[in-house]
Amino acid sequence: MYYAQSAFKLFFFLLFLVNTQPFIKTCVTIQIFVNDVNDNCPIISPTEFSSRPEPVLQVPPLVTFASTDADSGENGRIHYVVSAVTEE
């Protein structure tokens, strides 16, 4: 699953003591950016399907399926290509 946040901030408050008295107080902010990588496979549902020959001008689709990818941004985009039709 992709990260819910793409950035995190850490705040460090520093207090220096001299003879138990505050001498210097400061705050340091560190920002961490999380980059999503393509580490999740798309999930296609249903995983198997079959269809029977339909007339060429048939309006309904031959098959419908859905897919999801837990990655975000460009890594979460799924593209479909029909590469060949085979007879079985």
Side-chain angles (χ1 to χ4, degrees):
M1 179 166 63
Y2 65 92
Y3 296 98
Q5 288 182 244
S6 61
F8 297 88
K9 283 187 180 180
L10 299 174
F11 298 100
F12 290 97
F13 295 95
L14 305 172
L15 176 65
F16 297 97
L17 299 176
V18 176
N19 297 329
T20 69
Q21 297 296 317
F23 180 63
I24 300 173
K25 289 191 271 187
T26 188
C27 177
V28 176
T29 304
I30 298 174
Q31 192 161 7
I32 301 170
F33 295 97
V34 179
N35 292 323
D36 187 33
V37 295
N38 196 11
D39 58 349
N40 293 293
C41 293
I43 298 172
I44 300 173
S45 177
T47 56
E48 294 183 22
F49 58 88
S50 63
S51 63
R52 58 177 207 252
E54 298 284 342
V56 175
L57 299 178
Q58 187 74 23
V59 176
L62 295 175
V63 65
T64 302
F65 58 93
S67 60
T68 59
D69 191 320
D71 291 311
S72 63
E74 186 61 33
N75 292 330
R77 291 196 174 102
I78 301 172
H79 306 277
Y80 302 99
V81 176
V82 176
S83 58
V85 176
T86 59
E87 278 189 42
E88 291 190 30

